[in-house]
Amino acid sequence: MASKTAIVYDEEMTRYKLLWVDPACKIEVPERLTASHGALLSKGLLERCVSIPVRQATDEEILLAHSEEYLEAVKQTPHMTLEDLMTFTQQYGDVYFHPNIFHCAKLAIGATLQLVDSVMTEKVRNGLALVRPPGHHSQRSAANGFCVFNNVAIAALYAKKHYNLKRVLIVDWDVHHGQGVQYCFEDDPSVLYFSWHRYEHQSFWPNLPESDYDSVGKGKGAGFNINVPWNKVGMDHSDYLSVFFHVLLPVAYEFNPELVLVCAGFDSAIGDPEGRMNATPEIFAHLTHLLMPLAGGKLCAVLEGGYNLTALSQSVCQTVQSLLGDPAPQLANISFPCESALESLQNVRSAHQPYWTCFKHSAVGAVSEPSTKRSRVEEGGAENPQLPEQQQPEQQQLTGESGDTLEEEIEWPEPLPRSAPPVRTAVALPAGVEASLPEGCQRLEEATQTSDKTLEKIRDHLNEKGMKDEEEIAALRKLVSLLDKMNCKEIRNGLATVPDMPLAVKVAVQHALTSVDRVLVVLVGDDEWPVDLHDGRVLLVQICCKEPATPKSQYHIPVCIKQGPGDVAGFLQAVLSLLLPVAYQHNPGLVLEVWTQGSGVKEAAWAQLTSLLQGLAMGHTLALLQKSEDGPVRATAASLMGTPAPDLGPLGALCPEDVQAMEKLRTRLENKWEMLHISVPTKGQD
Ligand code: X5A
Ligand code: ZN
């Protein structure tokens, strides 16, 4: 089974540049590639990846997404004089040509296709193509926005053709709208295109009405084009994650792609002169991580924009580290998405309500009718899209004596190293129990010496009369040992089977709180749980079947699914729209994941949950199972080891009552858990 990560790169793609003065194009420099590649090298990441050579794309491949006339025209550029190149360039928007750019553009496509081939033939699990020129703005017969050929669009068409794929997901996290990709797949339901982009009610480049949330695709492709416009700059981690949890991920799971392509532009990171957003490079660790459980882990990231060389290099490294499976950094201060982000979120969900089950039965409509956007644009003035952006008051920039724009130096801390403990997963099973564990997974045979004393202390503290049974004590000692090993960074995560689950949960929480600030307990199954939630350090999310007595604490979140956790659609909805948002906001130092007997949860769904939860607590998850059954133990251990979970297949219908119950839960909790918001708060209400 492929577990490697590919990097596709060739220095040749640095050998073209802007040869004349053009303020719109001067940021697209060869150093974008050398800096990114250099950072991967100096951080020791490159040597952990498989390097795959680039190749030139063939005419046939280029023609998958472009017209013959356009290809023939670009073919002439290597022979043009400087003057001819300038004239040729002028027919397109915000792009430049160079005698070597045609060659590089063929390599950029070739690099992308090499990556797709390596992933599809399972030579590697995933990878990144570091390419120039970028692609997502280029169109059938036009260069645009630094792009000549549409690398990712060609890759999707190529994958459909050569591997007979029926569903490809394109996630475009670049800060610009990849209108070229949208045009290519607008009426094609086999390619789902998602893009978020700086928009500011159409006043930001490329200033298109069709970049707004109401462009949902056409004909058979209706519902398969998702635009999230950012109408303000300064969006941060909470805004980005909200859109992933409440828009992209639910749709992506419902779509069930066979391959994920990422238009990986890093101009959406802090410090970028184009994007002016506020998300630090660590966010890309999480965006990548959250996409990795899809399509059996088949993910190809392809560089698009990114113009602050520091932010770009750091973001590239974060992306690659997630692809490699390194522990994701903790994100502090995830709390409330800004009002403008919520407005976009609400509008895009409402526009897509007719097409996606995950948005059905939700009572929230669009933000005021008729839509707020046109009127705002037509009011003119500050937001008149006709004005070039530099002349707009809110975007006035400092200018130096040369008349050049001076970028205010924005600073942010360098991302911390993401070092992985020597052992990824340790499994504690009762003595004598045989289990076929995944390769590389360590079996914990003996509890640590100190665990005996520790357990005694916990027993006193909990005033626990039980804990007499030898088998029980042996299991609890192993559980304590796993937590200690996690704490001293010997192991990243662990799995234990325990005979008395309520007691084990109590002990684990009690012990964990001596070394971490906050714990997240995720319980799948019914039953009452004697976890002390009074001080807000422990958050308990329970995915269950029976409606519990009204919980008194904001830290007890029971999500009820009528048909039980075995209903995959309901289970997934609970995980994506409730569990993950509160979990990220809680920012635990440990995740305790509990599978109780008879919960009915499907193994594949549990595996997905296990994968997703590893984005929290730097991957410190302790999974507890009630019985040492081979299937669940192996599936859990595999997920903890980083093996992509099996596909869930078509999700089926969502039970309307479940959705309504979850909405009710949201209403109860959203004052405390702001990450649950999916609409603009109503004025006058608190
Ligand atoms: C790939 C990319 C941006 C073009 C901006 C033109 N292009 N103003 O980020
Ligand atoms: Zn961009």
Side-chain angles (χ1 to χ4, degrees), residues 7 26 53 236 239 350 437 536 539 613 679:
I7 298 288
K26 68 169 200 273
D236 65 12
D239 305 303
S350 151
L437 298 176
L539 170 63
L613 287 174
S679 59

Side-chain angles (χ1 to χ4, degrees), residues 318-448:
Q318 290 296 318
T319 303
V320 169
Q321 285 201 269
S322 286
L323 293 176
L324 283 165
D326 286 354
Q330 280 186 283
L331 298 179
N333 307 319
I334 300 297
S335 57
F336 49 91
C338 73
E339 201 167 312
S340 175
L342 284 175
E343 181 179 295
S344 299
L345 190 93
Q346 183 177 350
N347 282 333
V348 70
R349 282 175 57 106
S350 151
H352 279 275
Q353 200 165 32
Y355 310 107
W356 298 97
T357 305
C358 55
F359 300 146
K360 289 240 168 77
H361 322 296
S362 165
V364 186
V367 178
S368 69
E369 291 295 337
S371 146
T372 45
K373 58 178 184 151
R374 308 269 175 227
S375 53
R376 280 191 205 176
V377 171
E378 278 148 20
E379 274 162 24
E383 285 179 316
N384 189 319
Q386 262 58 274
L387 279 176
E389 63 181 90
Q390 286 84 352
Q391 292 173 21
Q392 292 171 24
E394 67 198 87
Q395 277 156 353
Q396 264 174 14
Q397 290 169 340
L398 306 166
T399 43
E401 277 161 52
S402 63
D404 262 7
T405 305
L406 288 185
E407 296 303 334
E408 310 159 51
E409 283 306 324
I410 297 170
E411 296 201 32
W412 64 94
E414 192 182 332
L416 297 171
R418 294 166 60 179
S419 52
V423 172
R424 172 137 181 173
T425 304
V427 178
L429 300 173
V433 170
E434 297 291 323
S436 56
L437 298 176
E439 207 185 319
C441 186
Q442 193 184 70
R443 177 144 181 190
L444 180 86
E445 300 292 354
E446 293 287 329
T448 53

Side-chain angles (χ1 to χ4, degrees), residues 24 94 134 136-137 145-147 174 176 205 267 274 304-307:
D94 290 21
H136 71 155
H137 297 303
F146 315 154
C147 304
D174 186 282
H176 301 95
W205 189 89
D267 39 18
E274 275 284 307
E304 297 281 358
Y307 308 101

Side-chain angles (χ1 to χ4, degrees), residues 5 27 31-32 56-57 82 109 190 251 298 383 418 429-430 475 497 524 550 552 591 600:
T5 294
I27 54 176
E31 289 74 23
R32 297 179 56 240
Q56 294 204 39
L82 187 64
I109 302 169
S190 68
V251 171
K298 292 192 173 60
E383 285 179 316
R418 294 166 60 179
L429 300 173
T497 61
V524 183
T550 319
K552 296 159 213 72
V591 177

Side-chain angles (χ1 to χ4, degrees), residues 161-366:
K161 180 169 159 194
H162 289 265
Y163 299 97
N164 193 28
L165 299 191
K166 302 286 177 261
R167 292 173 314 279
V168 179
L169 168 65
I170 300 178
V171 177
D172 188 338
W173 70 45
D174 186 282
V175 87
H176 301 95
H177 181 218
Q179 83 278 39
V181 184
Q182 173 169 314
Y183 299 155
C184 190
F185 300 110
E186 248 168 341
D187 51 19
D188 182 351
S190 68
V191 178
L192 170 55
Y193 178 60
F194 167 93
S195 172
W196 64 32
H197 35 268
R198 181 172 169 189
Y199 192 56
E200 295 174 290
H201 301 289
Q202 213 181 310
S203 68
F204 189 70
W205 189 89
N207 313 93
L208 303 168
E210 62 268 30
S211 305
D212 214 342
Y213 61 84
D214 55 353
S215 291
V216 297
K218 298 175 174 163
K220 286 203 170 101
F224 296 88
N225 190 84
I226 305 186
N227 285 330
V228 180
W230 299 125
N231 287 319
K232 290 224 156 76
V233 296
M235 296 299 167
D236 65 12
H237 293 168
S238 305
D239 305 303
Y240 284 9
L241 286 178
S242 283
V243 166
F244 259 52
F245 297 149
H246 297 301
V247 180
L248 174 60
L249 293 179
V251 171
Y253 273 94
E254 194 170 330
F255 181 61
N256 189 28
E258 300 160 292
L259 173 67
V260 179
L261 303 175
V262 180
C263 288
F266 298 102
D267 39 18
S268 43
I270 190 166
D272 192 277
E274 275 284 307
R276 303 197 160 263
M277 296 300 173
N278 235 339
T280 62
E282 286 91 335
I283 196 66
F284 296 103
H286 291 272
L287 303 186
T288 305
H289 175 85
L290 290 166
L291 296 175
M292 284 168 59
L294 294 159
K298 292 192 173 60
L299 189 158
C300 301
V302 183
L303 183 66
E304 297 281 358
Y307 308 101
N308 177 312
L309 298 183
T310 309
L312 170 63
S313 324
Q314 291 175 352
S315 303
V316 164
C317 289
Q318 290 296 318
T319 303
V320 169
Q321 285 201 269
S322 286
L323 293 176
L324 283 165
D326 286 354
Q330 280 186 283
L331 298 179
N333 307 319
I334 300 297
S335 57
F336 49 91
C338 73
E339 201 167 312
S340 175
L342 284 175
E343 181 179 295
S344 299
L345 190 93
Q346 183 177 350
N347 282 333
V348 70
R349 282 175 57 106
S350 151
H352 279 275
Q353 200 165 32
Y355 310 107
W356 298 97
T357 305
C358 55
F359 300 146
K360 289 240 168 77
H361 322 296
S362 165
V364 186

